[in-house]
Amino acid sequence: MSLSRLRARWRGSTASRASITMVDQCVAAASNFAVGVVVARISGPAGLGAFALAYTCWILLTTMHRSLITDPMAILGDMRGEQRDEFVRRGFAADVTLGLTAACFFAVLGTVLLLVGEPTFGTGMLAVAPWIVVLDLQDYWRWIGFMQGTPKKSLHNDLLFNTVQALAFAVVLLTGQHSVFAVVSAWGLGAAAAALYGLRQFSVRPSIHGGLAFLRSRWATSRWLASERAASWGATQLYLIVAGALLGPAAFGGLKAAQGLVIGPTIVVINAGGSFGLPEASRQLDERGWKGMAKVARFVTGAGVVAATVCGIAVLVAAPALLRLLYGPQFVTYAASARIFAIAMVVSAFAVGPILTLTTTRRVRPLFVVQLAKLVVSVAAVCVLTAAYGVTGAAAASLLTSALALVAVLGVQSAVRRSIEETERPSPGYLLAAAGRRLVKNAEYLLLLSPARDTTDRPTTSSTPEQHR
């Protein structure tokens, strides 16, 4: 097969994986977005605020399970080796172990919130706790499909999730249920069906044996990933918890609605960039070096920026109408916050590629420093601006933090690239030694080709170097 055909075949398979991954992310995002909309419709701003706290904590758990399990598997290429089935089994055990621990934490935290007089937030935590294991396990199967280069399996898993969830939502609405527990249970039932289906998709026998050992074996790589992602979660999510404490459940629900209006559609493309981008960037780095990886990063960044811009324009023009249509008339007053979040999302989209580059090249420590600084700025900004301007101030804190973080991460990426290029550039001593070795080889080659001299030292005709170049 010619080189051009090989390239065309590679581009076709890559485009196919990227497009299927994008479709899958649309399906997955629709599920999470639908939960928030249904909670808002049934329980109003206060109910959405209760769910939003639990959902924010679940985002942290999902971030940790990816940092400790699936991201190291993608970076280290576990799905490209002969033992990939064993890695899938061990990753499953680690994911269930982590999920059981987190479920206990959610239950304890929810109980504490009830005891200290925060029944609204406590109810939300207790509603999510029973479904933690299956929610994260379903996400695990999706990532296994991405890493194995079979995103169709991920798509089928998510389609089952959404189908079961939609049927459960219909039951909730038809029976007139108005509790957060009912809506979250519909969400969890969809995850449970998809989690069980994943066992069949990837031929895994359920077991938690070896889960802790697997987590420990990846600690050298995963600890910095987990630290960086925890700081990133704090910068993008912890400020919401702080804002919720300052605003109360109802205003917090309005803030989440304004944010969800923007993040819901845009996060589809950004998450698709991560699901497709990290395994693909890791593969390209191994096969083609920095240029191949950078091409993937540019593609991911461009897709994210386009999606964020289109969504941002729609929100800037029609925020009140969209909030009324999706969440209800009581959320229209948060249109200004939605517009600010739209601008912040466009700014954040430019940072997706640089973050992917730093993660793929395992330059996680400087990225962790950036995220830690972003966390500090985020919490400080939300405390000051929320106290002064309420919900609008909390949204403005997000915009300020996103802009400063983009500048910082671009600077770190530039420094890392220069460092890599200087490391790969041959030193003068190396070049001189290489030239000497080449001269010696050429001399040996000429001696082997020259005819032997006779004892009378008669001149003989020999080849010149130019004839053998």
Side-chain angles (χ1 to χ4, degrees):
M1 185 179 293
S2 66
L3 181 60
S4 60
R5 289 184 179 180
L6 283 172
R7 288 177 176 174
R9 183 176 179 181
W10 178 85
R11 289 171 182 170
S13 62
T14 302
S16 175
R17 289 197 303 271
S19 60
I20 295 174
T21 301
M22 179 66 68
V23 173
D24 174 77
Q25 287 296 342
C26 292
V27 174
S31 168
N32 296 337
F33 185 69
V35 177
V37 171
V38 174
V39 169
R41 284 288 184 178
I42 290 177
S43 304
L48 182 57
F51 171 72
L53 176 64
Y55 185 81
T56 300
C57 293
W58 175 72
I59 291 294
L60 173 61
L61 174 61
T62 303
T63 299
M64 289 298 99
H65 112 88
R66 292 179 182 177
S67 302
L68 297 173
I69 301 172
T70 57
D71 283 357
M73 294 173 76
I75 293 172
L76 299 175
D78 290 345
M79 296 298 102
R80 300 196 294 271
E82 296 180 355
Q83 295 183 324
R84 70 177 189 177
D85 291 339
E86 175 64 17
F87 281 123
V88 171
R89 186 197 65 78
R90 294 173 63 192
F92 167 84
D95 205 71
V96 173
T97 301
L98 186 64
L100 290 172
T101 304
C104 294
F105 171 77
F106 269 61
V108 170
L109 183 56
T111 303
V112 170
L113 288 172
L114 290 177
L115 293 176
V116 299
E118 290 290 347
T120 304
F121 289 131
T123 299
M125 296 297 294
L126 291 175
V128 174
W131 307 105
I132 287 296
V133 175
V134 292
L135 284 167
D136 273 354
L137 185 56
Q138 193 273 333
D139 186 73
Y140 174 74
W141 295 132
R142 294 177 61 247
W143 272 88
I144 292 298
F146 297 143
M147 288 186 288
Q148 289 187 354
T150 56
K152 285 185 178 180
K153 289 186 177 180
S154 304
L155 178 59
H156 293 161
N157 196 280
D158 273 321
L159 286 172
L160 177 62
F161 185 155
N162 282 17
T163 301
V164 174
Q165 178 184 252
L167 293 174
F169 277 159
V171 172
V172 170
L173 295 174
L174 291 175
T175 56
Q177 299 292 325
H178 295 284
S179 67
V180 175
F181 267 101
V183 178
V184 172
S185 295
W187 185 37
L189 285 173
L196 292 175
Y197 179 53
L199 292 172
R200 179 181 177 182
Q201 280 184 302
F202 298 97
S203 304
V204 174
R205 179 176 296 179
S207 173
I208 62 172
H209 177 69
L212 286 175
F214 184 79
L215 291 171
R216 287 194 295 267
S217 69
R218 300 309 170 90
W219 187 242
T221 300
S222 64
R223 60 180 178 177
W224 287 107
L225 285 172
S227 299
E228 183 271 324
R229 300 294 166 77
S232 176
W233 173 88
T236 58
Q237 300 293 327
L238 181 59
Y239 86 95
L240 292 172
I241 297 177
V242 175
L246 296 173
L247 296 170
F252 182 47
L255 178 68
K256 283 297 295 182
Q259 185 193 47
L261 186 65
V262 178
I263 290 182
T266 306
I267 205 67
V268 171
V269 179
I270 293 179
N271 281 345
S275 304
F276 164 78
L278 184 58
E280 193 66 31
S282 178
R283 184 181 295 109
Q284 290 301 309
L285 182 64
D286 289 340
E287 296 177 359
R288 302 176 61 198
W290 178 278
K291 289 185 179 180
M293 178 199 63
K295 185 176 181 180
V296 175
R298 287 193 299 270
F299 171 77
V300 170
T301 302
V305 170
V306 170
T309 302
V310 172
C311 179
I313 293 173
V315 172
L316 288 173
V317 173
L322 292 172
L323 285 169
R324 181 183 293 107
L325 175 66
L326 293 173
Y327 293 96
Q330 62 269 47
F331 290 91
V332 173
T333 55
Y334 304 104
S337 298
R339 291 187 174 106
I340 296 174
F341 276 126
I343 300 172
M345 201 66 192
V346 174
V347 174
S348 298
F350 282 96
V352 173
I355 291 175
L356 176 64
T357 298
L358 295 174
T359 303
T360 305
T361 56
R362 306 184 193 182
R363 271 29 179 219
V364 185
R365 292 188 187 185
L367 185 57
F368 166 67
V369 174
V370 171
Q371 298 291 9
L372 193 61
K374 182 181 177 182
L375 169 60
V376 174
V377 172
S378 175
V379 173
V382 78
C383 288
V384 174
L385 296 176
T386 301
Y389 303 104
V391 175
T392 305
S398 174
L399 175 58
L400 174 63
T401 305
S402 299
L404 294 176
L406 175 60
V407 174
V409 77
L410 288 174
V412 171
Q413 182 195 35
S414 178
V416 167
R417 180 170 185 173
R418 288 197 301 270
S419 175
I420 292 177
E421 289 176 347
E422 290 176 0
T423 302
E424 294 177 347
R425 186 183 300 127
S427 64
Y430 175 84
L431 293 174
L432 183 61
R437 288 193 296 270
R438 186 172 181 179
L439 287 173
V440 170
K441 286 185 177 181
N442 287 340
E444 293 175 349
Y445 182 62
L446 291 174
L447 288 174
L448 289 173
L449 292 179
S450 299
R453 296 179 181 274
D454 58 23
T455 55
T456 60
D457 288 329
R458 289 177 301 175
T460 60
T461 304
S462 61
S463 301
T464 63
E466 287 76 13
Q467 292 173 309
H468 293 283
R469 283 180 183 174

